[in-house]
Amino acid sequence: MVYAPVLNEPGLPPIRINLLSDTQTRPSAAMRQAMAAAEVGDEQMGDDPTVTSLCQRVAALLGKEAAVFMPSGTMCNVAATLVHCRPGDEILAHDTAHLVALEGGAHAAFGGVQVKPLHGAHGQFAPELFRAALRPATRNQPRQTLVSVEQTANLGGGAVWKLSALEAIVEIAKANGLATHMDGARLLNACVATGISARAMAAGWDSVWLDFSKGLGAPLGAVLAGSRGFIDEVWRWKQRLGGAMRQAGICAAACHYALDHNVARLAEDHGNARALAAGLAKIPGIDVQPPETNMVFFDTGGAGLPSEAMVAALRRRGILACVMAGRIRTCTHLDVSAAMIAETLQAVGEILQAAVEPAVLSSPAPRRSVS
């Protein structure tokens, strides 16, 4: 499902333009200063004031009672499902959702739960499809205990779930006794793109988390929020999974800095993604999915070069991208400038021209008909 070239293969030039993912961001000098100055304590003992204030801040931002600081978003997803579900239960989620496609089967391995995959365009399923997938409770089939959405939908091209769809899914879930979980890895991208607050998008969702190591530019960390009782149980799993930390305020300070300085600027990433998509769409044979946030998915097969070959050729020029679900994915972030977008577009055009010209020169001359 995922193809990316080797980052540091001998003989390849240094990476100058990193479009592989928004996880590739590096903490800025100002963020590092904030980390160095952080007041710290033992996070596992509840004695780190910077972690505590971050959790309180995110809980308020999302409209929840409490929150917990985690090393990663994947741990947020895993711990949340382990609290919501019991072995043998069933989660309903889109078939390309991160917890289905990119977490190594953790939910089955740790929780003994299965996922009922739902389909739909752009990484999203329709509320009515969700309703149709629900079954009457019987002892012959798994209990359906949780529905999960991913905002934004990564493999759906960074698509934004509409607020009306989120509200409809919550209504259906509550009417049928299911808990609700939002993988909010790029929730703030969705908020910036739509102007809708994180609190409004998270309303009705029993658990929701934010990732700080993507477009927000922190080196690591995510915060999972929910009711106080839910977070108490998440802490039990955090301990079991090895997620409890010590002087984690150094990392939480980076997250505070990100909330202070790197949220509104996500609009710049969205603008760069639109510029990249617009430029690619002008190249004959390239099929581009119009971006809603900071991801541009496109295919160069129609232009005469397979996606994997294009990614490899870009890497030879110091530009890093990947193939996901059969399409090239490029991801803009705070370390990608408008000038880098222009250089990437020029490189794609030159690579395609170089690939097509030899084929044209080596093809046999057309035959003339004889009358």
Side-chain angles (χ1 to χ4, degrees):
M1 173 174 285
V2 179
Y3 164 75
V6 178
L7 272 64
N8 297 308
E9 184 175 337
L12 291 178
I15 297 166
R16 297 177 296 101
I17 302 175
N18 195 330
L19 299 168
L20 182 70
S21 175
D22 44 11
T23 62
Q24 300 295 294
T25 57
R26 305 293 178 91
S28 65
M31 180 179 282
R32 287 173 181 263
Q33 289 175 0
M35 295 170 71
E39 187 178 357
V40 299
D42 191 327
E43 185 264 357
Q44 187 180 48
M45 304 299 292
D47 190 40
D48 191 304
T50 309
V51 171
T52 299
S53 61
L54 176 67
C55 291
Q56 293 170 343
R57 184 177 184 180
V58 173
L61 179 68
L62 298 174
K64 306 304 178 188
E65 291 180 348
V68 58
F69 188 46
M70 297 288 228
S72 71
T74 294
M75 188 175 286
C76 289
N77 275 341
V78 172
T81 60
L82 289 170
V83 173
H84 287 307
C85 304
R86 296 295 176 266
D89 286 358
E90 183 173 84
I91 303 168
L92 293 91
H94 194 274
D95 60 354
T96 64
H98 197 277
L99 66 83
V100 177
L102 294 168
E103 293 181 4
H107 307 274
F110 296 126
V113 298
Q114 67 183 41
V115 179
K116 183 176 181 65
L118 303 178
H119 309 293
H122 307 311
Q124 304 171 15
F125 52 85
E128 288 309 311
L129 181 64
F130 167 49
R131 188 194 302 274
L134 297 175
R135 303 184 298 264
T138 73
R139 63 176 178 269
N140 299 41
Q141 294 177 305
R143 289 186 304 172
Q144 295 177 312
T145 54
L146 180 68
V147 60
S148 177
V149 299
E150 183 184 351
Q151 179 75 305
T152 62
N154 179 0
L155 295 183
V160 178
W161 282 84
K162 293 185 181 302
L163 183 60
S164 58
L166 295 175
E167 292 173 339
I169 290 168
V170 166
E171 182 178 357
I172 295 167
K174 298 307 179 185
N176 289 275
L178 275 73
T180 55
H181 173 68
M182 179 183 291
D183 172 338
R186 297 179 176 90
L187 172 59
L188 294 185
N189 285 91
C191 294
V192 169
T194 62
I196 299 171
S197 71
R199 176 184 284 260
M201 285 199 181
W205 293 86
D206 296 311
S207 53
V208 58
W209 58 273
L210 298 180
D211 197 324
F212 288 90
S213 68
K214 294 184 170 66
L216 296 180
L220 61 85
V223 176
L224 172 62
S227 70
R228 202 166 302 280
F230 171 79
I231 294 301
D232 286 344
E233 289 302 308
V234 167
W235 254 104
R236 183 179 299 275
W237 277 109
K238 174 177 173 173
Q239 186 75 30
R240 289 170 173 168
L241 295 169
M245 297 174 280
R246 301 302 180 186
Q247 288 70 41
I250 292 174
C251 300
C255 302
H256 272 299
Y257 182 91
L259 289 175
D260 290 336
H261 300 281
N262 291 348
V263 176
R265 65 144 311 280
L266 291 172
E268 299 175 28
D269 302 338
H270 300 172
N272 282 334
R274 290 192 296 271
L276 177 59
L280 290 169
K282 295 177 182 178
I283 302 175
I286 292 186
D287 180 43
V288 188
Q289 178 180 333
E292 295 183 47
T293 51
N294 67 323
M295 296 184 191
V296 180
F297 279 73
F298 63 101
D299 179 27
T300 57
L305 193 66
S307 295
E308 289 81 359
M310 171 57 75
V311 167
L314 286 170
R315 177 63 189 89
R316 290 192 291 272
R317 290 171 173 247
I319 302 172
L320 193 61
C322 68
V323 176
M324 301 187 78
R327 299 173 297 165
I328 298 172
R329 188 189 79 162
T330 51
C331 196
T332 58
H333 50 79
L334 58 83
D335 291 336
V336 174
S337 65
M340 291 176 178
I341 296 299
E343 184 177 344
T344 299
L345 287 169
Q346 181 177 348
V348 169
E350 291 173 354
I351 290 167
L352 287 176
Q353 184 177 8
V356 171
E357 283 180 351
V360 172
L361 292 174
S362 61
S363 59
R367 296 183 180 181
R368 299 187 179 186
S369 60
V370 178
S371 58

